[in-house]
Amino acid sequence: MAWSNVWTIKPIDPLAFSFEYTYGHQASGSLGGTRDATWQGIAWIAAYNWTDRGITAFRAEWFNDRDGARTGGAANGHANVALGEVTFTGSYRFTKMLMGRAEVRQDFSNQPVFRVGDLNKGNYSFNQTSLALQLIYTY
């Protein structure tokens, strides 16, 4: 069983705030299946439309998987994983159907879950930084 709620507020026309809360529970869903599992997360987004073409946004998210039900296998075998991230995004719509986006993201965790270096050596870190450039075509 899981449920999620999203709230969006637009205090002025170019500015929007969104908030999301998610909760989940699964019987015998813990890492190893020995007990019930619970997870929850929150997300907060602020977006500002500077023009019809230019948008900037800031996003922050936190996810707690205390029983390893959602991240246990992917998180280097750890239960009680709390993950978070902050992202800053700039978008520009070149045409009605073509948009460019630049993004910088910082991820962090209370467990060393992010792979670094040679993937065959199994080195993990508590954080990682990502940069992305995207072209998005919609039709």
Side-chain angles (χ1 to χ4, degrees), residues 100-103 131-135:
R101 183 179 290 161
E103 186 171 273
L131 301 172
L133 294 175
Q134 304 165 343
L135 281 177

mmCIF file of all heavy atoms in Angstrom, residues 100-103 131-135:
data_model
loop_
_atom_site.group_PDB
_atom_site.id
_atom_site.type_symbol
_atom_site.label_atom_id
_atom_site.label_comp_id
_atom_site.label_asym_id
_atom_site.label_seq_id
_atom_site.Cartn_x
_atom_site.Cartn_y
_atom_site.Cartn_z
ATOM 1 N N GLY A 100 15.702 23.260 -24.550
ATOM 2 C CA GLY A 100 17.021 22.921 -24.019
ATOM 3 C C GLY A 100 16.990 23.058 -22.512
ATOM 4 O O GLY A 100 16.276 23.904 -21.962
ATOM 5 N N ARG A 101 17.764 22.214 -21.847
ATOM 6 C CA ARG A 101 17.777 22.227 -20.386
ATOM 7 C C ARG A 101 19.195 21.972 -19.886
ATOM 8 O O ARG A 101 19.886 21.089 -20.370
ATOM 9 C CB ARG A 101 16.838 21.147 -19.862
ATOM 10 C CG ARG A 101 16.726 21.125 -18.356
ATOM 11 C CD ARG A 101 15.766 20.064 -17.872
ATOM 12 N NE ARG A 101 14.410 20.435 -18.206
ATOM 13 C CZ ARG A 101 13.383 19.596 -18.244
ATOM 14 N NH1 ARG A 101 13.563 18.324 -17.969
ATOM 15 N NH2 ARG A 101 12.185 20.015 -18.535
ATOM 16 N N ALA A 102 19.604 22.749 -18.878
ATOM 17 C CA ALA A 102 20.871 22.530 -18.178
ATOM 18 C C ALA A 102 20.535 22.318 -16.708
ATOM 19 O O ALA A 102 19.686 23.009 -16.142
ATOM 20 C CB ALA A 102 21.798 23.726 -18.345
ATOM 21 N N GLU A 103 21.222 21.345 -16.105
ATOM 22 C CA GLU A 103 20.860 20.961 -14.740
ATOM 23 C C GLU A 103 22.110 20.567 -13.960
ATOM 24 O O GLU A 103 22.988 19.900 -14.475
ATOM 25 C CB GLU A 103 19.894 19.777 -14.841
ATOM 26 C CG GLU A 103 19.292 19.310 -13.571
ATOM 27 C CD GLU A 103 18.196 18.287 -13.836
ATOM 28 O OE1 GLU A 103 17.038 18.713 -14.057
ATOM 29 O OE2 GLU A 103 18.493 17.085 -13.832
ATOM 30 N N LEU A 131 25.894 16.661 -13.644
ATOM 31 C CA LEU A 131 25.616 17.777 -14.544
ATOM 32 C C LEU A 131 24.937 17.190 -15.773
ATOM 33 O O LEU A 131 25.344 16.131 -16.267
ATOM 34 C CB LEU A 131 26.902 18.471 -14.964
ATOM 35 C CG LEU A 131 27.768 19.043 -13.838
ATOM 36 C CD1 LEU A 131 29.104 19.522 -14.379
ATOM 37 C CD2 LEU A 131 27.033 20.175 -13.146
ATOM 38 N N ALA A 132 23.916 17.861 -16.283
ATOM 39 C CA ALA A 132 23.199 17.351 -17.450
ATOM 40 C C ALA A 132 22.875 18.490 -18.408
ATOM 41 O O ALA A 132 22.527 19.590 -17.988
ATOM 42 C CB ALA A 132 21.909 16.662 -17.024
ATOM 43 N N LEU A 133 23.027 18.208 -19.687
ATOM 44 C CA LEU A 133 22.575 19.078 -20.765
ATOM 45 C C LEU A 133 21.621 18.242 -21.596
ATOM 46 O O LEU A 133 21.953 17.126 -21.990
ATOM 47 C CB LEU A 133 23.744 19.560 -21.613
ATOM 48 C CG LEU A 133 24.749 20.466 -20.933
ATOM 49 C CD1 LEU A 133 25.915 20.762 -21.873
ATOM 50 C CD2 LEU A 133 24.088 21.771 -20.495
ATOM 51 N N GLN A 134 20.437 18.788 -21.865
ATOM 52 C CA GLN A 134 19.422 18.013 -22.572
ATOM 53 C C GLN A 134 18.789 18.857 -23.667
ATOM 54 O O GLN A 134 18.622 20.060 -23.528
ATOM 55 C CB GLN A 134 18.313 17.587 -21.607
ATOM 56 C CG GLN A 134 18.793 16.827 -20.415
ATOM 57 C CD GLN A 134 17.744 16.733 -19.312
ATOM 58 O OE1 GLN A 134 16.775 17.487 -19.298
ATOM 59 N NE2 GLN A 134 17.930 15.803 -18.401
ATOM 60 N N LEU A 135 18.413 18.180 -24.744
ATOM 61 C CA LEU A 135 17.540 18.723 -25.762
ATOM 62 C C LEU A 135 16.293 17.869 -25.749
ATOM 63 O O LEU A 135 16.391 16.639 -25.870
ATOM 64 C CB LEU A 135 18.177 18.693 -27.136
ATOM 65 C CG LEU A 135 19.190 19.793 -27.451
ATOM 66 C CD1 LEU A 135 19.801 19.590 -28.828
ATOM 67 C CD2 LEU A 135 18.530 21.164 -27.371
#
